[in-house]
Amino acid sequence: MKMHFVERFTQPGEKISLYRNGAFVDFCRGPHVPSTSRVKAFKVLSLAGAYWLGDEKNPQLQRLYGTAFFNKKEMDEHFARLEEAARRDHRVLGKQLDLFSIQEIAGAGLIFWHPKGGIIRKIMEDWMREECIRRGYDLVFTPHVMRHELWKISGHAGYYAQNMYTPMELDDADYQLKPMNCPGHILIYKNTPKSYRDLPVRLAELGNVYRYERSGTMHGLLRVRGFTQDDAHIFCTPEQIEDEVVACIDFAEAVLKTFGFAEFKVELSTWDPKDRKNYAGSDDKWSLAIDSLEHALQRKGIPFRTISGEAAFYGPKIDIKLVDALGRLWQLSTVQFDFNLPARFDLEYVGEDGERHQPVMVHRALFGSVERFFGVLIEHYAGAFPLWLAPMQVGLVPISEKHIDYAKTVQSQLQIAGLRVELDDRNEKMNAKIRDLTMQKIPYLLVMGDKEAAANAVSVRTRGKGDEGSIPLEEFIAKAKKLVEEKSTYL
RNA sequence: GCUGAUGUAGCUCAGUGGUAGAGCACUCCCUUGGUAAGGGAGAGGUCAUGGGUUCAAGCCCCAUCAUCAGCUCCA
């Protein structure tokens, strides 16, 4: 193995390096620790296969993973972080909190949203749809299966075929599940002639797409075979691009802020002009698009990293990576140019000059995938959702059977106020009810006995704070409604 | 897809060739309790699926499916 590198790096004029630890001499770019005595804390982590030179066509080697630190404290902190991440694992929390499941009998990578996950999804989707309408998008719905002919025109049947479910034959035609929503939106755009006065046309859809993922690649909600994109396509004139991109970034910021993510990083992926032949679209279009994206980011005053050669073949893009509660990065939102599809579908609009022009198309997804966003959300909050998102917002704990009637009147008043309530009327001691509901991470538990029933009050136990004493029911309702209204992350 | 591991009750897991187990959850009974687990009884299993070896398989062998840790690829 080392001979491969010796041969590769020992061309005339090339500098090579050798490292020595005691009797062990290694041919390596380095650096190595000067002495193994510097390594005060280390641990073997795992054993796994890895492809020779990272290419799956090459044979696999056994790779032994380990980690080392200058002292025990640093190592302990590292493992504490890993444990914290494991404790927040959305797959584990999804089971404990009964949010979603994946069923072997139904197939890998296909998500079942249970009632408690479903209500969160409904809140996410309602918010997204209303926000789209407020921001000038039109909502559309497109079919889940469409004829193979369409995917040939869009080019997916060619360059995306490995990721698509195979066609199903029906009458005289082959139909295929959609891996993307773009062609559907394009057909709606094309259905009527467009004037420059109609632009920009912004079509949005929470579209279910299906992609074949290789068997070893699925991971909970984060990598699946069927998912929902909060997808939109904006058809506009070249002059409108910059404003549209700024609006998309504003929108993305609003999404992240609303769902509790304070931090994010932005990357601008551009082409590599030296590799010209690998990109569709004219030079003019590329430089206009890259300039627009850059100007938009500068106008927003957002710091970003430009990565050349990372663009899709059909256009440059902005990727927004959010930073979660543990400092991990997640790629979700994306704003992409597409020079390919407007040409393939021969899109046009009539300009001020009375001539036909080709519109520019921007593709954007903010949650990215509703499933993945939900997975990240679960881990970010460790399952302790803010009040407006919590599937069960209030848990009711009658102290004894005598207080169940009062608890029912409290329940109906909370429900009338629009709150999601769980009444624990089991034949259990109060302590057991508090424990069980606490483990469900319910934001508020209301304990009620003789004193509360007499005063039309509730004893409030707030998640993470404990017993906060009795207050009038009306007061609690007003407070809870306000926090929901504000989408507060505090209780 | 590849390498390695795993798959037993709703959940978490024990069981290493000879009658399938525990805790929690569930049902019923007793208990009516003031801020994180009261007590008792009961019910619950094609031991992932399909083959094979054996007098006998949850356990050994093969294949398939799924999951996990990685690799590779992505929203």
Side-chain angles (χ1 to χ4, degrees), chain A residues 56-75:
Chain A
E56 65 173 323
K57 289 185 197 75
N58 288 334
Q60 276 192 322
L61 311 171
Q62 282 303 315
R63 182 181 286 175
L64 188 64
Y65 288 83
T67 183
F69 296 87
F70 289 112
N71 59 57
K72 178 112 175 23
K73 183 163 171 278
E74 281 179 29
M75 185 167 85

Side-chain angles (χ1 to χ4, degrees), chain A residues 251-456:
Chain A
F251 199 165
E253 281 182 321
V255 172
L256 297 179
K257 188 161 166 270
T258 303
F259 286 87
F261 301 97
E263 235 188 297
F264 56 89
K265 299 206 159 110
V266 176
E267 286 173 4
L268 174 60
S269 300
T270 65
W271 67 344
D272 180 357
K274 286 189 296 252
D275 230 356
R276 185 67 191 80
K277 60 183 181 307
N278 288 335
Y279 300 97
S282 67
D283 286 20
D284 287 357
K285 280 184 174 173
W286 272 90
S287 47
L288 174 68
I290 292 171
D291 285 351
S292 317
L293 291 177
E294 257 173 18
H295 288 156
L297 287 168
Q298 283 157 3
R299 247 168 76 183
K300 291 287 301 168
I302 294 175
F304 61 95
R305 215 155 59 99
T306 301
I307 306 177
S308 146
E310 280 298 301
F313 79 90
Y314 51 77
K317 58 177 180 172
I318 292 174
D319 286 330
I320 300 173
K321 303 194 171 183
L322 67 77
V323 182
D324 78 2
L326 291 185
R328 297 172 299 185
L329 284 178
W330 297 95
Q331 217 272 263
L332 296 149
S333 309
T334 179
V335 180
Q336 312 187 342
F337 268 85
D338 193 330
F339 301 134
N340 183 46
L341 291 177
R344 278 179 170 272
F345 280 93
D346 203 16
L347 296 186
E348 52 186 34
Y349 66 92
V350 177
E352 218 168 338
D353 55 6
E355 301 292 319
R356 289 158 193 271
H357 300 272
Q358 194 170 86
V360 175
M361 185 170 142
V362 176
H363 167 118
R364 116 313 63 156
L366 304 179
F367 288 145
S369 143
V370 175
E371 284 75 6
R372 180 179 284 184
F373 194 86
F374 183 42
V376 173
L377 210 54
I378 293 169
E379 303 207 354
H380 181 62
Y381 288 118
F385 295 104
L387 192 65
W388 72 291
L389 289 171
M392 293 180 289
Q393 296 171 313
V394 186
L396 301 184
V397 180
I399 288 176
S400 84
E401 231 164 54
K402 292 187 305 233
H403 310 113
I404 289 179
D405 283 344
Y406 176 61
K408 283 185 174 161
T409 70
V410 171
Q411 181 182 32
S412 70
Q413 287 180 75
L414 291 169
Q415 282 169 341
I416 287 165
L419 293 163
R420 297 183 288 277
V421 193
E422 176 89 0
L423 167 59
D424 189 345
D425 58 1
R426 292 175 305 164
N427 178 13
E428 285 293 347
K429 286 185 76 168
M430 181 189 68
N431 281 348
K433 296 180 187 183
I434 289 173
R435 177 170 195 274
D436 292 345
L437 295 175
T438 300
M439 292 203 305
Q440 287 297 303
K441 301 177 190 271
I442 300 176
Y444 292 109
L445 301 188
L446 303 182
V447 177
M448 53 205 80
D450 290 336
K451 281 184 284 184
E452 286 75 17
N456 202 29

Side-chain angles (χ1 to χ4, degrees), chain A residues 113 121 125 181 205-209 226-231 367-371:
Chain A
W113 294 73
R121 174 171 175 157
E125 292 190 348
N181 301 300
E205 173 176 17
L206 288 157
N208 299 110
V209 296
F227 60 101
T228 310
Q229 288 183 310
D230 64 314
D231 210 355
F367 288 145
S369 143
V370 175
E371 284 75 6

